[in-house]
Amino acid sequence: MSKTLGPVALKLGDEVLVKVRTNTTIKDLLEQLDKACKGGRIQDADGFDVTAHYSQDLPEGEYAIKQPTAASSDDFKQVVEAMLEPISKVCLEKLSQTRCASKINRDDLRDVRKAFRTILQIHGAESDAFLNEEEFWNGRYEVEKAADYLRTINTWAQVRRGLKFRDARGHVLREVGTPLRFPISGSNDVVLALRQYVSELELGAFMGIEMKRGLTASGLRQAEVEYYLWAGCSMFPFVQIITDMQSGGAAFYKIGSSPAGNNIVMQLLHGMDSVRDFVRNAVASIPDDAGEDDANGMMKIPHSLENPSRKRHREDTTEPGNSTPGGSFQGGHMSRYQRGYELIAAMQPDAGNELLVDLDGLTFDSWTNDEGRNVRCIPVS
């Protein structure tokens, strides 16, 4: 450890601020200097700063104290950044922290609804049971009852061979990115899905059931967020149910969409008979061949189901011919032919004297062909 080789005096101008004996460690010397002159520093005979990492012994003698200079722009920047760092962390946490469905609050749910362009329709008279807030969430009750609940739900409906109610606890879905301001996540207690979809449960899901000890406003928020998560992934019309297995529950599903947004129903189910009937009818409405391959090897995916009347939430498909004013499909995989027609129309909005034809010379004036032909515009003679 570096030390002084003799008595050392540290002077500020003509005044001696620090004086130490032989064999004083450099560390102790610098500590005394910092007490006597905050930010002061000294240099050895070669002009090197004497710091805590100084590796040589310091000869005896007098050393001039150099006072700290005014902060440079870089120093100022570092100070400001240090002050702003905790504020930045709070802002990032607010904007990017994942909101769990079971703990989402009213303000965050409003943001989620805006992101999914939700037009919420409430069916059924509200009761006080839906307006009470839980003081805290305790999942132990649901965990303890999960196996019993799954056995009970299997008695509610006749499930065809290709479907199965599965324990979905631990199968967490997470949605992130625009238009959401923050990520959301959630799971489900029980999910009805195609048997072959196990690790990709959400793709083949028709129904999710969230089970709670009591029906509360926070539980309804949780179920609504879980609907967006599961319906957004499922290839089929999806319905999300929440129930306390005693007094009733609620169901969320999509009944349609418009330029104004997606029409989502929150149907309140009073009494367990209503819940059982809802599940039974919804399961019975699933076609026997849903999820199976057609003659061309394409999966049969219904765009809508009945009892209740509900539609797919995903916006990357559409029923043939279902378009919105102005020619844009309401969500959907348009064929390449249809997409080409739309692009050409957009590039030549005033081309009233032109007709769209394919390269075989056949005219095409409606979106009915899904073969993906090559097209071009020719003048009409």
Side-chain angles (χ1 to χ4, degrees):
M1 180 179 292
S2 301
K3 59 184 182 299
T4 59
L5 297 177
V8 168
L10 306 184
K11 299 178 65 176
L12 183 61
D14 296 330
E15 182 182 2
V16 176
L17 298 185
V18 176
K19 193 172 182 179
V20 297
R21 294 187 175 88
T22 305
N23 293 328
T24 300
T25 63
I26 299 299
K27 180 182 177 182
D28 289 341
L29 174 67
L30 295 177
E31 287 178 353
Q32 294 187 46
L33 170 61
D34 190 61
K35 291 178 181 178
C37 181
K38 192 69 174 178
R41 58 191 178 89
I42 58 173
Q43 292 181 334
D44 62 17
D46 297 321
F48 291 103
D49 284 342
V50 178
T51 67
H53 303 291
Y54 193 71
S55 60
Q56 302 179 26
D57 293 332
L58 191 65
E60 66 175 291
E62 295 182 349
Y63 294 86
I65 299 173
K66 298 182 180 296
Q67 289 183 296
T69 57
S72 66
S73 59
D74 289 340
D75 293 334
F76 178 75
K77 181 180 178 181
Q78 292 176 0
V79 171
V80 173
E81 287 177 346
M83 294 173 62
L84 293 178
E85 184 177 3
I87 300 174
S88 175
K89 286 182 177 179
V90 171
C91 293
L92 288 175
E93 181 179 4
K94 177 66 177 176
L95 294 176
S96 64
Q97 183 181 36
T98 299
R99 302 326 195 252
C100 180
S102 62
K103 299 179 182 179
I104 198 159
N105 59 42
R106 291 186 183 89
D107 291 338
D108 287 341
L109 180 57
R110 292 190 190 102
D111 288 336
V112 172
R113 286 171 176 167
K114 289 178 183 177
F116 287 100
R117 303 178 64 244
T118 297
I119 301 172
L120 187 66
Q121 301 176 222
I122 300 178
H123 292 181
E126 283 198 60
S127 67
D128 291 342
F130 292 95
L131 301 178
N132 296 327
E133 282 287 353
E134 292 174 321
E135 294 182 3
F136 63 95
W137 181 81
N138 185 348
R140 173 172 289 276
Y141 179 83
E142 287 81 0
V143 171
E144 292 174 348
K145 295 290 185 179
D148 292 338
Y149 284 164
L150 187 56
R151 283 193 292 268
T152 300
I153 291 171
N154 271 298
T155 67
W156 290 355
Q158 185 66 37
V159 178
R160 68 174 177 84
R161 189 171 184 178
L163 299 174
K164 184 177 181 179
F165 279 113
R166 293 186 181 277
D167 184 341
R169 293 171 301 149
H171 193 94
V172 179
L173 302 184
R174 188 169 184 265
E175 181 74 19
V176 62
T178 55
L180 286 168
R181 289 197 308 108
F182 44 78
I184 56 175
S185 68
S187 58
N188 245 313
D189 289 321
V190 175
V191 168
L192 176 66
L194 294 173
R195 282 182 176 270
Q196 62 267 38
Y197 288 88
V198 181
S199 59
E200 296 82 15
L201 190 62
E202 66 276 11
L203 294 179
F206 287 89
M207 177 186 296
I209 303 178
E210 181 69 39
M211 294 168 294
K212 310 296 287 185
R213 186 166 189 167
L215 295 174
T216 64
S218 62
L220 290 181
R221 293 197 298 270
Q222 175 181 352
E224 184 177 346
V225 172
E226 288 174 352
Y227 167 79
Y228 297 128
L229 288 166
W230 286 83
C233 293
S234 176
M235 298 182 292
F236 304 96
F238 182 84
V239 57
Q240 176 67 47
I241 298 170
I242 181 171
T243 177
D244 63 355
M245 302 295 282
Q246 295 179 13
S247 60
F252 294 84
Y253 51 92
K254 179 179 177 177
I255 60 174
S257 57
S258 69
N262 296 304
N263 293 81
I264 308 299
V265 167
M266 178 175 72
Q267 182 172 338
L268 304 180
L269 305 170
H270 296 276
M272 286 308 298
D273 287 342
S274 296
V275 175
R276 284 189 288 268
D277 290 344
F278 185 96
V279 171
R280 183 179 300 110
N281 293 332
V283 172
S285 71
I286 301 173
D288 291 340
D289 60 355
E292 296 183 0
D293 294 346
D294 62 17
N296 297 319
M298 304 295 289
M299 180 183 286
K300 295 181 180 179
I301 300 177
H303 292 264
S304 62
L305 295 173
E306 299 300 323
N307 297 322
S309 179
R310 58 200 188 277
K311 295 184 179 295
R312 296 177 44 157
H313 190 88
R314 287 172 60 161
E315 295 184 351
D316 59 351
T317 55
T318 186
E319 297 181 57
N322 178 22
S323 60
T324 57
S328 297
F329 268 63
Q330 182 60 36
H333 281 311
M334 292 183 290
S335 69
R336 288 173 293 172
Y337 190 34
Q338 295 164 339
R339 183 60 178 159
Y341 187 90
E342 184 183 64
L343 291 176
I344 292 173
M347 289 187 290
Q348 304 186 53
D350 300 323
N353 64 337
E354 293 183 329
L355 181 67
L356 188 70
V357 301
D358 63 22
L359 296 185
D360 297 322
L362 301 175
T363 62
F364 185 81
D365 56 7
S366 63
W367 287 357
T368 57
N369 191 318
D370 197 27
E371 299 300 323
R373 296 177 183 270
N374 293 314
V375 297
R376 59 190 175 93
C377 283
I378 62 171
V380 178
S381 57

